[in-house]
Amino acid sequence: MMLNRQGRPSTPSQAADSAAAGTITGNRGLLQEEALIFEIGEEGRTGVDLPDAPKVKDRLGGLRRTGRIGLPGLSEPQVIRHFVRLSQRNYSIDAGLYPLGSCTMKHNPRLNEKMARLPGLGDLHPLQPVSTVQGALKLIDTLAGWLKKLTGMPAVAMSPAAGAHGELCGLMAIRAALKARGDVRKRILAPESAHGTNPATAAMCGYVVDPIPATAEGRVDLEALRVKLGPDVAAIMLTNPNTCGLFEREIRQVADLIHGVGGFFYCDGANFNAIVGKVRPGDLGIDAMHINLHKTFSTPHGGGGPGAGPVVLSEALKDFMPVPYVVHGKDGFALVEHDGARSFGRMKSFHGQMGMFIRALAYMMSHGADGLRRVAEDSVLSANYVMASLKDIMTPSFPGPCMHEALFDDRFLKETGVTTLDFAKAMIDEGYHPMTVYFPLVVHGAMLIEPTESESKDSLDTFIGTLRGLAEKALQGDQAPWFRGAPYLTPRRRLDETRAARAPILRWKPGTNAAPAARAAAE
Ligand SMILES: *Cc1c(COP(=O)(O)O)cnc(C)c1O
C-alpha cells in the first residue's frame, strides 16, 4: 500500500478497505480512543512523592479543605501518554501542509524559539525597572524600526495583541484624531472583499458599517465607493491583498477619495506576507495598518493566540497612538506611560507580546531585506502554482494571477451533489487540514488556499495531486454519499456543527461520562 507523506494510506477508499480488513496501517494510532483524564485517573494513585505537610495549625485562616476535591490520580507515564496522544490528534504546521487561507500558516523557524527562550529575555517581568530591561526595550525599538522601514510609515503602536486588536487600535486613533479637530463622524465603509473582522471592529467601536460591493473582478467597486462617500464617513477599512487573494489595484484612488472627504484610510495588513519588501503601504496613502506578526513574521499561532498586531500610523495619526511606547533619550531607552492629552490611552496592561516580538525580529534579521522580498515572491508563486495546476479541474473564482492565496468556488462541483464542506472533509482523510471554506462570502462555496512560501515544490505537487484526485472522484458522479460520509479515518466523524457552536459541553462534571453520548452523536 502507498502511504502519503503523513504516513496515511494514499486514498481514503484504500484506507477504508484496509481498515475494514483489519490491516495495520499508518492511521491506526489516530483511531485510538482516548478517555478524559478524569476517566483514567484513580484516587490514591499519584505520580509524585511529596513530603508530608508540615503540621501547622490552621494555616489557611479557616479556609482549610477537609473534603475530597476529586482530582484524578495518575502515574507519570500515564500523564505523559495521555497528553502526547492528545497532541498527536492535533493537526499542526509541524505535521504537514496547512493550507488555511487568510491565516498564513507558514513554518516557524526553530531559531526564533531559541531566541525567545534566552533567559535574559524569557525571564523578564513587565514591572521590572527600565534600567534593568534596556536590552528588551532596544529589541522593541529595533523591531519597530524594521516595521516602519518595511511599511514606509513614521510611527508604530506595538501593543495590540492580535490583528483584530490592531484594527481596534487603528480605529481608536482615528476617532481620537477626528475628535481633536472637533469632528464626530458616524460611518465606516467596509468593502465586501474585506476581512470579517473589519466590519466587526467598526461596529464594536460604535460606528455604523456601510458595505461597498465588490466588482465581478473581486475588487472594490470605485463607483459604488464614490456614491457612499460623504462628510460623515470616518474611514474606509480595506483589506489588501484582499480576501479574494487579489491586490486592490486602485488603492491610490481609494486613498485620494477618502482623504477628499476628510476621512481616514485604514488598511488591513494581515496579508502583508504577499507584499512585504515589494510595496510600502506608506506610499499608497494609508493612514493606519495592522501587521500580524503571527502571520507574516512567523510567530506560532492558532487556537486563539498568542498573537501580535502592531499598527503602523501616518503623520496624521501618530500623535494619537496608545501608551506605553518606547523612546530613546539621552539616558538610554525609556517607556512613555502617560502622554498628555493626545494619546487615546492604553490597549493592554503592558507593552505588547514580548515573546512574539523576539520571534518576529529573529525572523526578520535572519531573512534580511532580500530574504523578506523572497518571502513575498515565493508565497505568491506557490499560490499561483496551485491555481494554475488545478484550474482545468476546479473553478478559480477570478482570472489569475492571484497574490498569496488561490480562491476557488464550487462551480466545478455543481452537477455532483458534493458540497464545499464535503470536499473539505474528504481532505482530512488524505492527511491535510482543509483550506478555508465558505469565506470570503462574495464567492459561492468558497475554497481559499494559502500554501505559503515555506512549502517545497514536492510538497505542493503532493497536495495538488490530492486535490486533483478528490476532484476527479467527485466528478465521476454518484460519489456524493461517499463524500457526505467523510472523514472516515478520524476518531470523530462529522460533528453536529450547529450544536457544537450553540450548546458546547466544555466541562466534565463528576459522575457524568459524556464520552458515549458524544460518540453516539458524532457517529
Ligand atoms: C487573520 C486576519 C485578521 C485577524 O487577525 P487576528 O490576529 O486573528 O485577530 C484580520 N484580517 C485579515 C485579512 C486576516 O487574515
Side-chain angles (χ1 to χ4, degrees):
M1 159 168 303
M2 290 279 293
L3 293 182
N4 73 14
R5 242 168 359 95
Q6 266 86 243
R8 298 191 197 177
S10 56
T11 72
S13 41
Q14 283 170 2
D17 293 349
S18 59
T23 321
I24 293 179
T25 69
N27 64 67
R28 282 191 40 129
L30 289 176
L31 288 173
Q32 264 174 9
E33 279 300 331
E34 184 64 23
L36 297 178
I37 200 159
F38 288 94
E39 294 162 354
I40 49 179
E42 262 174 40
E43 274 195 59
R45 192 188 292 153
T46 176
V48 286
D49 195 4
L50 295 173
D52 290 339
K55 300 227 178 327
V56 185
K57 253 198 171 166
D58 210 13
R59 270 199 307 170
L60 298 174
L63 286 175
R64 191 163 53 103
R65 262 182 192 273
T66 49
R68 294 174 182 280
I69 56 171
L71 289 179
L74 295 103
S75 67
E76 184 170 318
Q78 277 183 309
V79 172
I80 292 190
R81 285 200 184 137
H82 177 71
F83 287 107
V84 169
R85 281 183 188 155
L86 289 184
S87 75
Q88 286 171 338
R89 284 200 180 174
N90 205 359
Y91 194 85
S92 67
I93 187 64
D94 293 343
L97 190 154
Y98 205 132
L100 201 60
S102 212
C103 289
T104 314
M105 302 302 282
K106 61 163 89 170
H107 171 65
N108 305 125
R110 291 307 183 267
L111 175 68
N112 304 354
E113 296 303 316
K114 196 171 170 186
M115 294 302 116
R117 283 166 176 72
L118 290 174
L121 293 168
D123 296 342
L124 290 176
H125 192 281
L127 292 176
Q128 268 175 251
V130 288
S131 65
T132 67
V133 292
Q134 286 293 304
L137 297 183
K138 181 172 181 187
L139 191 148
I140 297 176
D141 192 60
T142 308
L143 176 61
W146 275 77
L147 292 174
K148 287 187 276 190
K149 184 131 198 148
L150 286 168
T151 57
M153 300 281 269
V156 56
M158 297 298 287
S159 58
H165 204 210
E167 291 169 25
L168 187 65
C169 173
L171 287 200
M172 288 171 85
I174 287 171
R175 190 164 57 190
L178 286 168
K179 198 172 153 205
R181 68 180 195 214
D183 201 350
V184 182
R185 297 185 173 216
K186 289 206 166 62
R187 250 181 332 135
I188 295 235
L189 306 179
E192 281 177 351
S193 50
H195 194 260
T197 47
N198 298 183
T201 301
M204 194 168 166
C205 245
Y207 286 104
V208 174
V209 181
D210 199 353
I212 302 174
T215 60
E217 268 209 303
R219 294 182 172 88
V220 175
D221 186 333
L222 274 197
E223 284 320 304
L225 168 60
R226 275 199 186 93
V227 173
K228 301 257 172 158
L229 284 171
D232 63 330
V233 173
I236 185 170
M237 294 183 88
L238 181 99
T239 303
N240 199 22
N242 70 25
T243 56
C244 299
L246 302 171
F247 192 82
E248 295 282 0
R249 290 195 208 107
E250 294 171 315
I251 189 163
R252 295 288 298 268
Q253 285 97 305
V254 172
D256 291 343
L257 286 171
I258 190 76
H259 290 147
V261 295
F264 288 95
F265 188 3
Y266 189 93
C267 182
D268 179 331
N271 293 331
F272 196 46
N273 207 54
I275 57 171
V276 57
K278 306 291 282 185
V279 180
R280 298 191 316 162
D283 299 334
L284 303 176
I286 288 162
D287 292 300
M289 182 182 97
H290 71 268
I291 300 165
N292 286 25
L293 299 187
H294 47 294
K295 292 177 181 170
T296 310
F297 300 109
S298 181
T299 67
H301 67 292
V311 183
V312 288
L313 297 166
S314 65
E315 281 298 336
L317 290 180
K318 75 178 196 330
D319 290 345
F320 303 94
M321 75 176 201
V323 287
Y325 53 85
V326 177
V327 289
H328 194 200
K330 57 179 178 1
D331 300 323
F333 292 94
L335 271 172
V336 176
E337 301 266 4
H338 303 279
D339 177 23
R342 303 212 96 185
S343 163
F344 69 78
R346 224 167 240 274
M347 291 298 294
K348 201 174 182 302
S349 20
F350 297 112
H351 332 304
Q353 304 276 48
M354 193 64 196
M356 299 295 114
F357 293 165
I358 301 162
R359 288 174 176 87
L361 186 62
Y363 183 81
M364 288 176 180
M365 294 181 87
S366 54
H367 277 69
D370 56 333
L372 291 177
R373 200 172 308 123
R374 269 291 288 281
V375 161
E377 288 167 359
D378 289 353
S379 70
V380 171
L381 184 61
S382 294
N384 278 287
Y385 184 60
V386 169
M387 184 177 272
S389 306
L390 291 169
K391 69 173 182 209
D392 62 314
I393 186 155
M394 292 170 66
T395 36
S397 305
F398 302 102
C402 58
M403 296 298 286
H404 61 308
E405 38 198 10
L407 178 61
F408 296 91
D409 53 38
D410 60 1
R411 278 173 298 160
F412 75 104
L413 294 172
K414 205 163 183 185
E415 308 296 324
T416 65
V418 177
T419 65
T420 289
L421 186 69
D422 299 333
F423 194 81
K425 293 287 184 191
M427 286 171 67
I428 299 174
D429 282 337
E430 299 288 345
Y432 288 108
H433 192 288
M435 69 286 263
T436 292
V437 290
Y438 300 107
F439 175 84
L441 304 176
V442 284
V443 162
H444 197 270
M447 304 183 195
L448 186 64
I449 299 175
E450 182 177 6
T452 85
E453 72 284 1
S454 58
E455 297 302 325
S456 65
K457 181 169 176 299
D458 284 349
S459 155
L460 292 177
D461 284 337
T462 311
F463 176 68
I464 289 163
T466 299
L467 289 191
R468 178 170 281 284
L470 286 174
E472 280 164 359
K473 188 175 173 87
L475 293 169
Q476 278 166 27
D478 68 24
Q479 295 296 317
W482 181 85
F483 273 92
R484 265 200 291 283
Y488 294 95
L489 302 176
T490 47
R492 293 290 178 276
R493 305 274 296 278
R494 293 265 180 127
L495 301 181
D496 177 339
E497 303 204 353
T498 313
R499 247 184 51 184
R502 300 215 172 130
I505 301 171
L506 301 175
R507 192 177 151 239
W508 178 85
K509 292 199 190 95
T512 60
N513 184 352
R519 207 172 300 143
E523 243 104 88

